[in-house]
């Protein structure tokens, strides 16, 4: 004997079907499925600061690193940097050597004989002012934050010094200030920005390898730079929304 | 409800009320205005002492050097790259006569070979500099140890600036 | 300060390869090793207590009270290593006042409070209320006063009230098990959620932390139980000890499998960070990982406890072995935390080099401070055992209906 069919008439079936399909259609009209992925959302209005660094232009003078320490009263000892320069040397046999003696402040000495070098270049490093900052995410008290203009700042009067953000920063851009006991990092020289000046490291760069600007302004120098160069961020797989874009970034750089 | 449960709940209630009062009292005033942080922290960060003045300040007094520099390789080089932060100097040096500046207002005058070598010492990483079309200059590289190290007769070390004018190298 | 800088210069001279300049200083040291360790002991001890209460493993009765009080005394201290490690310890209250909802550490504050206040405190209170009222009548002086205060001046010890206490205590324990899981899983999440650090960033981290926590907590209660019966010159309940050992064995297997799985997965996937971690494991972590954590802390106890499932030596020998095994496991789990916390900071996030570890003896960062926070819970525990001795509890009523 066949099992009794559930009593669903054709009419009921169409009725229910129409409601479901129509419902989905109507709902999707209100919230269309957006397949376009945006790497990092930015505010529609106001400034949204970003940084460009042209590795081809950097001569490794380390002036940015020293200017940063002088401008921001960063402790002089070589364990505290808001901005530093690394030299990458790839030897003919494929070995990668990375150096940053005193953050590059005292200049670089070429440690590998020229004939053994496959290629060599300098990479200035600083806070990436990520739009999806891992450091901001982990701060337990809200002592570090992204300003509406896209600058990641530290509230040193509120920071408890738990050092969780230091662990969370993939770029090693934070340190604990030895005298204050709170975390310290690049402020993009916000105290200069409000006076209409450039951040110290951008001001000082002798070859204009550093470009600073507003990502929301289509006419800005930074957008010109990004349009005309193949730019890349460091550790893109971590999806930090980094706003520090390098031209000519080699895959060795991490 | 039994008496002991009432008391227990009372203790917890007191605890929670105490917590809420503390929460109210201890939350900083501007917290949460812009996000999960003290909005006042932005101006606190923004009002810090400056040290670098910017080269526009320099040419106000040192127009001659700016003109000198403008036709040389170092035309685009800002003064403070070599001379160090100069805001104090720019603000207060005008009050003193030339040659009478207190030490605190004097700027660094790079004269040693190492000062020039910091950019011009040969380094393989400086080889491949391709400036874009606007900037056709290449950075000159020397071996700071071998490049005219000392006077052949007196054996005194040469300084770079004895042959090169740093403002017009 | 000067000393600190000197230490850093010494570390700088020992850096292998390249590390970011800010990474030379190790930010989380021995105190942050202790923090997950102590929290883990709490969670583990509580799970053991709940075995008796919820899962009705009545053979564990002699350890129920001890486990509960152990959990409580370690819980009181659990956040202290973290707080004393802060750069600004007096701002610690901010975690409770303006907790950042996306921060694992901030939410931990509430998980901790929930566990301390709602689970441990309540369970102990409902468990001891009747006894405290009886003891208050039997004692005098300060002790009497303490019992009065702790029982909130209640007097109701009618069978009905006690039955209610039992019932609520049972419910609290039921809530307590997921809470204990949450508590320690959360500590694992503090590390596991750091995507910048490939040594920490694994979904298994909370689970691994949880099971190693249970292992360490059970081992701790076992150790305390053996020592306590020794001190009180009583005959140890071997059956109870064997049962604890049996559970210890099972959970140790799970723990071992999970940690092995994590490593195998890491080795097989061999991501960008593989080389730097490989060298780390066979270099700076070799001794603490393979010997302290692996051989002494896991393999040896596992083999011994496994053997005991088939062959049981004489009670006297077994007791000594149990003592040794629990101590080994405690040391092993400590080094597991060490390998996670310290190991995760020894390599550079640039994956090009390693820094080294040096702890100053003096100051809040030293071993001294760490030792203090390891000893204090035992002092609290002795006080609690004096005040609320589980062995002096009056025989409870026969199983009350409604449970």
């Amino acid at each position: 004997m066949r099992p009794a069919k559930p009593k669903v008439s054709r009419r009921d079936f169409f009725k229910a079907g129409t409601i479901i399909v129509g419902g989905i259609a109507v709902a999707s009209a209100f919230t269309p499925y957006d397949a376009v992925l945006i790497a990092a959302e930015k505010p529609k209005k106001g400034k949204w600061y970003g940084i460009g660094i042209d590795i081809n232009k950097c001569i490794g003078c380390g002036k940015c690193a020293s200017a940063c320490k002088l401008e921001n009263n960063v402790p002089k000892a070589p364990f505290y940097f808001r901005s530093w320069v690394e030299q990458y040397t790839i030897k003919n046999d494929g070995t990668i050597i990375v150096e940053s003696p005193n953050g590059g402040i005292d200049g670089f000495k070429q440690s590998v004989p020229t004939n053994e070098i496959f290629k060599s270049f300098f990479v200035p490093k600083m806070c990436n002012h990520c739009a999806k900052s891992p450091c901001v995410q982990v701060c337990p008290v809200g002592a570090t934050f992204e300003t509406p203009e896209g600058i990641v700042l530290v509230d040193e009067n509120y920071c408890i010094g738990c050092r969780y953000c230091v662990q969370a920063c993939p770029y090693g851009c934070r340190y604990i200030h030895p005298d204050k006991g709170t975390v310290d990092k690049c402020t993009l020289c916000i105290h200069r920005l409000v006076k209409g000046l450039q951040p110290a490291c951008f001001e000082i760069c002798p070859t204009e390898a550093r470009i600073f600007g507003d990502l929301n302004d289509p006419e800005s120098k930074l957008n010109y730079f990004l349009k005309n160069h193949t730019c890349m961020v460091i550790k893109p797989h971590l999806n930090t929304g980094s706003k520090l874009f390098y031209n000519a970034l080699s895959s060795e750089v991490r | 409800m039994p008496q002991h449960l009432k008391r227990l709940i009372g203790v917890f209630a007191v605890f929670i009320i105490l917590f809420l009062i503390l929460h109210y009292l201890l939350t900083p005033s501007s917290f949460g205005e812009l996000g999960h942080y003290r909005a006042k922290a932005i101006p606190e960060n923004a009002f810090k002492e400056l040290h670098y003045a910017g080269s526009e300040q320099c040419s106000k007094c040192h127009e001659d050097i700016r003109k000198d520099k403008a036709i040389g390789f170092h035309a685009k080089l800002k003064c403070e790259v070599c001379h160090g932060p100069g805001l104090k100097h720019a603000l207060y040096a005008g009050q003193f006569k030339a040659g009478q500046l207190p030490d605190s207002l004097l700027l660094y005058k790079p004269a040693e070979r190492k000062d020039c070598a910091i950019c011009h010492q040969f380094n393989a990483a400086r080889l491949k500099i391709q400036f874009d079309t606007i900037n056709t200059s290449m950075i000159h590289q020397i071996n700071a140890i071998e490049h005219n190290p000392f006077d052949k007769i007196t054996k005194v070390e040469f300084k770079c600036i004895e042959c090169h004018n740093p403002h017009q190298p | 300060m000067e000393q600190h800088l000197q230490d850093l210069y010494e570390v700088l001279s020992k850096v292998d390869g390249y590390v970011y300049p800010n990474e030379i200083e190790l930010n989380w040291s021995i105190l942050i090793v202790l923090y997950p360790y102590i929290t883990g002991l709490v969670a583990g001890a509580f799970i053991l207590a709940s075995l008796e209460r919820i899962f009705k493993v009545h053979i564990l009765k002699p350890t129920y009270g001890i486990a509960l009080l152990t959990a409580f005394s370690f819980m009181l201290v659990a956040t202290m290593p973290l707080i004393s490690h802060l750069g600004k310890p007096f701002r610690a209250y901010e975690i409770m006042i303006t907790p950042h909802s996306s921060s694992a550490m901030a939410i931990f504050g509430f998980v901790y409070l929930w566990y301390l206040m709602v689970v441990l405190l309540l369970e102990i209170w409902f468990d001891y209320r009747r006894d405290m009222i009886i003891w208050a009548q039997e004692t005098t002086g300060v002790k009497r006063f303490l019992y009065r205060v702790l029982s909130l001046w209640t007097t109701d010890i009618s069978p009905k009230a006690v039955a209610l206490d039992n019932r609520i205590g049972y419910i609290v324990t039921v809530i307590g098990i997921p809470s204990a899981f949450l508590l320690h899983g959360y500590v694992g999440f503090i590390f596991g959620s750091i995507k910048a650090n490939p040594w920490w960033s694994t979904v298994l981290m909370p689970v691994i932390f949880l099971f190693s926590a249970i292992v360490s907590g059970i081992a701790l209660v076992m150790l305390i139980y053996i020592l306590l019966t020794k001190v009180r010159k009583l005959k140890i309940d071997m059956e109870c000890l064997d049962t604890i050992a049996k559970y210890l064995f099972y959970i140790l297997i799970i723990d071992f499998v999970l940690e092995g799985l994590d490593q195998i997965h890491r080795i097989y996937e061999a991501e960008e960070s593989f080389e730097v971690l490989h060298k780390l494991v066979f270099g700076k972590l070799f001794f603490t990982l393979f010997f302290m954590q692996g051989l002494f802390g896991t393999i040896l106890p596992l083999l011994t406890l496994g053997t005991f499932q088939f062959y049981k030596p004489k009670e006297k020998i077994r007791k000594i072995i149990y003592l040794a095994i629990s101590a080994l496991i405690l040391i092993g789990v400590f080094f597991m935390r060490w390998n996670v916390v310290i190991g995760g900071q020894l390599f550079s996030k640039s994956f090009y080099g390693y820094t080294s570890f040096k702890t100053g003896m003096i100051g809040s960062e030293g071993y001294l401070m760490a030792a203090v926070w390891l000893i204090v819970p035992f002092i609290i525990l002795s006080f609690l055992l004096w005040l609320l001795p589980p062995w002096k509890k009056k025989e409870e009523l026969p199983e009350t209906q409604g449970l």
Side-chain angles (χ1 to χ4, degrees), chain A residues 77-82 84 86 88 96 98-100 103 125 132 134 136-142 155-164 166-176 178-182 235 237-240 251-254, chain C residues 1 4-5 8-10 12 17-28 32 82 85-89 91-106 189-191 193-197 200 272 344-345 349-352 365:
Chain A
F79 319 107
Y80 313 105
F81 289 92
R82 292 181 177 193
W84 70 98
E86 295 167 357
Y88 281 71
I96 302 164
V98 192
E99 294 157 297
S100 182
K125 292 272 185 87
K132 293 176 260 183
V136 171
Q137 187 186 24
V138 302
C139 177
V141 298
D155 182 349
E156 63 173 43
N157 294 320
Y158 205 62
C159 172
I160 59 174
C162 70
R163 304 165 181 229
Y164 200 12
V166 184
Q167 307 290 358
C169 175
Y171 308 103
C173 294
R174 288 170 167 256
Y175 62 88
I176 292 289
D179 303 326
K180 295 176 188 163
T182 54
K235 302 188 184 180
H237 59 282
L238 290 181
N239 191 24
T240 56
S251 60
E252 291 87 3
V253 180
R254 287 193 290 228
Chain C
M1 187 59 233
H4 183 60
L5 273 183
L8 283 176
Y9 275 107
E10 197 187 320
L12 179 63
Y18 174 72
V19 303
Y20 296 136
N22 294 333
E23 284 180 333
I24 289 161
E25 180 172 3
L26 238 71
N27 278 293
W28 282 354
I32 305 292
L82 191 65
H85 179 269
L86 292 180
K88 295 274 176 197
R91 291 183 187 168
Y93 70 89
E94 290 169 7
I95 294 189
M96 305 305 295
I97 301 299
T98 56
H100 192 196
S101 57
S102 69
S103 168
M105 202 183 271
F189 190 74
I190 286 181
F191 296 95
S193 62
I194 297 299
K195 65 180 170 189
N197 192 321
W200 292 348
E272 191 186 12
Q345 301 172 82
K349 287 180 196 129
S350 70
F351 306 156
Y352 281 124
E365 268 294 273

Side-chain angles (χ1 to χ4, degrees), chain C residues 155-176:
Chain C
T155 48
D156 189 1
I157 47 170
S158 61
K160 206 180 146 201
V162 175
L164 185 70
D165 283 359
N166 273 336
R167 204 193 160 94
I168 296 176
Y170 181 81
I171 295 169
V172 169
T173 321
V174 172
I175 299 169

